[in-house]
Structure formats: structure tokens, C-alpha cells
């Protein structure tokens, strides 16, 4: 029924470039190149190849933290997910698909730039948060939110892009 078909594989079966998110990013990169000619086309393609090794390494590295998270958060009835910039979509997906749909845990996603416009009022040691810290231009907002969460001893898990080598994708391209 369609003119073009893209077959993708699960990341457990193959590399990032042929996964669903890999293809979506590649289409975005190609569209930017064809329409706007950003000048970063080759750098972005190189970064895509690097994701083939960065993602499996990150998945392996996060396992101890994931086990700790599952133990510490298993009884929580609500978990807030926070992020901004390049981590914003992942924060939304975490909240909607993982926590609400798959785990049946009440959740809300909070943009760290909006955190101090109301949501900060619910912060205390019994309120669980997941903060996805990006490695781009909005990192300062993420850091400001984290400082506040720590000040009030909130139950917080931080997943920081810097810990997984995303900055190594070359300046200006990682974001």
C-alpha cells in the first residue's frame, strides 16, 4: 500500500542505525540536509555510527543503577519524570509508556524549565523523581532542578547523558 517500506529491528537484534529510533533520526538528519543544508551532515552520520557502540555500552553500564532503582522505587504509587532539551522526549516517553502504560504507576512529566513554576512545591523526601539530565544547552536548567531536589532530600534518580559518552559525538552534533 505504500511506496516506501522501512524494516527495522529491535536493538537486541542489531545496531542502533537499523532500529526504529535510529531510522527516525536518520530521516530527520536527511531531511535537514536536503531542505536546510545544515553543514553538519557528515558529522551527524558519523555520530549515528558511534551510537552503535555507545548504546550497548550504556545499557550494560546502567544495570546496577537499574537494579537499585527497582528496589528503591518498587512501592511508590507515583513517580515524576523530569527533563529538558534533548532529554525531553525521552522523559515524556518514560512517563507515558514505561511508568503509566507498562507499570501502571501514576506519573507526570515535568520540564525542568517549568519546575519552578509550581511543581517544586511538592518536593520532599517521600516524593520520587527521575531526572534525565541532557548534555546540551538546557543542562543548566536540569542542574538547577537537581540542586533543589537535593536540597530538600527528594527521592531522586539521575540518569545523566554525560555518564554515557554522548558528549563524545562531537560538539554541536550530540544535541
Amino acid at each position: 500500500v505504500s511506496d516506501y517500506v522501512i524494516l527495522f529491528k529491535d536493538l537486541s537484534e542489531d545496531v542502533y542505525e537499523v532500529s526504529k529510533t535510529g531510522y527516525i533520526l536518520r530521516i530527520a538528519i536527511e531531511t535537514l540536509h536536503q531542505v536546510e543544508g545544515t553543514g553538519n551532515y557528515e558529522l551527524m552520520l558519523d555520530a549515528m555510527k558511534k551510537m552503535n557502540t555507545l548504546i550497548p555500552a550504556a545499557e550494560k553500564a546502567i544495570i546496577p543503577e537499574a537494579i537499585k532503582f527497582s528496589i528503591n522505587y518498587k512501592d511508590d504509587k507515583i513517580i515524576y519524570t523530569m527533563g529538558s532539551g534533548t532529554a525531553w522526549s525521552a522523559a515524556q516517553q518514560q512517563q507515558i509508556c514505561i511508568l503509566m502504560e507498562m507499570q501502571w504507576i501514576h506519573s507526570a512529566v515535568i520540564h525542568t524549565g517549568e519546575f519552578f513554576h509550581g511543581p517544586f512545591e511538592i518536593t520532599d523526601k517521600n516524593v520520587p523523581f527521575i531526572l534525565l539530565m541532557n548534555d546540551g544547552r538546557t543542562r543548566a536548567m536540569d542542574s538547577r532542578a537537581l540542586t533543589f531536589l537535593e536540597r530538600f532530600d527528594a527521592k531522586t534518580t539521575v540518569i545523566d547523558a554525560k555518564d554515557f559518552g554522548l558528549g563524545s559525538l562531537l560538539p554541536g552534533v550530540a544535541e
Side-chain angles (χ1 to χ4, degrees), residues 15 17 24 27 32 37-38 41 50 56 67 95 103 110 126 131-132 142 162 175:
V15 295
E17 287 180 278
I24 291 168
I27 290 169
L32 281 172
T38 64
Y41 183 69
K50 288 181 180 178
I67 292 168
Q95 179 261 328
Q103 301 300 315
I110 303 167
N126 298 314
L131 174 57
L132 304 181
D142 298 347
K162 279 192 172 186
E175 199 169 13

Side-chain angles (χ1 to χ4, degrees), residues 63-76 157:
I63 290 173
E65 191 66 28
I67 292 168
K68 180 180 167 186
F69 174 85
S70 68
I71 293 166
N72 292 340
Y73 287 68
K74 69 179 174 52
D75 296 321
D76 289 315
T157 292

Side-chain angles (χ1 to χ4, degrees), residues 69 72 84 120 131 133 152 157 168:
F69 174 85
N72 292 340
S84 70
F120 76 100
L131 174 57
M133 291 197 59
F152 286 89
T157 292
S168 69

Side-chain angles (χ1 to χ4, degrees), residues 36-97:
E36 295 182 7
T38 64
N40 288 329
Y41 183 69
E42 295 300 326
L43 292 174
M44 289 190 279
L45 293 180
D46 183 52
M48 286 281 296
K49 291 207 180 301
K50 288 181 180 178
M51 295 294 280
N52 293 332
T53 55
L54 284 174
I55 290 176
E59 287 175 339
K60 187 175 180 181
I62 198 87
I63 290 173
E65 191 66 28
I67 292 168
K68 180 180 167 186
F69 174 85
S70 68
I71 293 166
N72 292 340
Y73 287 68
K74 69 179 174 52
D75 296 321
D76 289 315
K77 304 297 181 214
I78 188 165
I79 300 172
Y80 294 101
T81 305
M82 298 174 63
S84 70
T86 56
W88 177 240
S89 294
Q92 288 181 308
Q93 190 252 351
Q94 173 72 27
Q95 179 261 328
I96 293 169
C97 298

Side-chain angles (χ1 to χ4, degrees), residues 101-140:
E101 178 186 350
M102 296 181 184
Q103 301 300 315
W104 294 9
I105 296 172
H106 293 275
S107 183
V109 64
I110 303 167
H111 192 283
T112 56
E114 297 295 328
F115 181 60
F116 293 100
H117 296 161
F120 76 100
E121 294 286 349
I122 53 98
T123 305
D124 75 31
K125 65 181 180 181
N126 298 314
V127 178
F129 290 89
I130 300 169
L131 174 57
L132 304 181
M133 291 197 59
N134 78 85
D135 195 12
R137 291 172 278 184
T138 61
R139 185 175 179 84

